[in-house]
Amino acid sequence: MPFIATIAKENDSNFIRNSIIKNGCEKKFEVINVNLSNIGNIKNIKFDIIVIDQDIKEFLIKSNYIYKLIENSKYIVINSDIIKTYDFVKNKNIKIITYGLNKKADFTISSISDTKILVCNQKEIERADNKLLEEQEFNIIIKKNNLKKVHNTLPIFIILSIYGIFLKKI
């Protein structure tokens, strides 16, 4: 069972967790929101993926555990609209994947309508099964009430894609 950590605002983390569990098909996922109050309790969990969707300066200052979590993970999925440098990732074997609405992000949204979004993968990514996810675009049907959460669709899409599950609807 893959362990996934989210470092995000609580409502964003809940949306990401619930969407991954709902769309993960037969694969079981354990998704944990990491915050300063629980990081000491989860410091020994080896996360497969860590999603960073908020500024982590406070984590880096107040807790050394964050470095351990990061260094033991396989993938770091970073919101590059918020975090511009990744110097806190010391282990060169960790796969860094960026997302955002900027043109330099590995995954971005190239178009949005009332009913769908077009996710653009701009970098070849090695999946968990060692197959490659090539550069391409993906159509995702989006419910009207999820349009405000369109930015959170990117890490959900990335996580599921790492495990060979391709999000079609959110």
Side-chain angles (χ1 to χ4, degrees):
M1 171 176 13
F3 281 86
I4 300 162
T6 58
I7 300 174
K9 294 177 183 168
E10 189 174 355
N11 60 340
D12 292 337
S13 182
N14 289 338
F15 181 77
I16 292 168
R17 182 185 64 248
N18 293 338
S19 297
I20 289 169
I21 292 168
K22 178 182 173 190
N23 293 289
C25 303
E26 72 285 344
K27 191 140 187 93
K28 301 285 186 213
F29 293 92
E30 184 66 42
V31 184
I32 299 170
N33 184 29
V34 177
N35 55 52
L36 286 171
S37 63
N38 73 357
I39 195 166
N41 297 329
I42 60 173
K43 65 184 177 208
N44 294 319
I45 295 176
K46 185 174 181 189
F47 289 100
D48 298 285
I49 301 172
I50 298 177
V51 176
I52 303 174
D53 192 52
Q54 71 180 41
D55 190 343
I56 63 165
K57 287 177 189 167
E58 189 175 3
F59 276 91
L60 297 173
I61 292 168
K62 293 184 176 181
S63 176
N64 289 330
Y65 299 135
I66 191 71
Y67 291 105
K68 183 177 180 181
L69 291 181
I70 289 170
E71 294 308 305
N72 288 327
S73 66
K74 296 176 187 173
Y75 296 89
I76 303 291
V77 179
I78 299 173
N79 181 338
S80 60
D81 292 334
I82 297 172
I83 299 171
K84 307 296 182 199
T85 63
Y86 323 120
D87 56 348
F88 54 88
V89 181
K90 307 292 185 206
N91 183 342
K92 301 300 181 201
N93 294 321
I94 297 171
K95 295 167 184 75
I96 298 174
I97 304 170
T98 62
Y99 69 93
L101 300 178
N102 65 78
K103 63 183 178 181
K104 291 184 180 183
D106 299 332
F107 285 80
T108 190
I109 296 174
S110 56
S111 72
I112 302 173
S113 75
D114 288 344
T115 58
K116 67 179 182 175
I117 60 173
L118 192 58
V119 173
C120 180
N121 172 11
Q122 302 186 103
K123 173 181 153 184
E124 201 171 73
I125 304 294
E126 184 179 334
R127 296 183 347 199
D129 60 5
N130 296 320
K131 293 181 181 178
L132 293 178
L133 177 61
E134 297 178 2
E135 298 175 27
Q136 57 189 301
E137 291 187 312
F138 300 87
N139 270 313
I140 300 174
I141 297 168
I142 190 160
K143 295 178 189 171
K144 198 170 203 132
N145 61 329
N146 287 338
L147 277 172
K148 292 181 182 177
K149 296 281 190 186
V150 72
H151 197 271
N152 290 329
T153 302
L154 290 169
I156 296 163
F157 181 84
I158 293 166
I159 291 166
L160 293 174
S161 296
I162 287 171
Y163 293 100
I165 302 166
F166 297 99
L167 187 64
K168 304 270 190 230
K169 185 177 183 179
I170 192 157

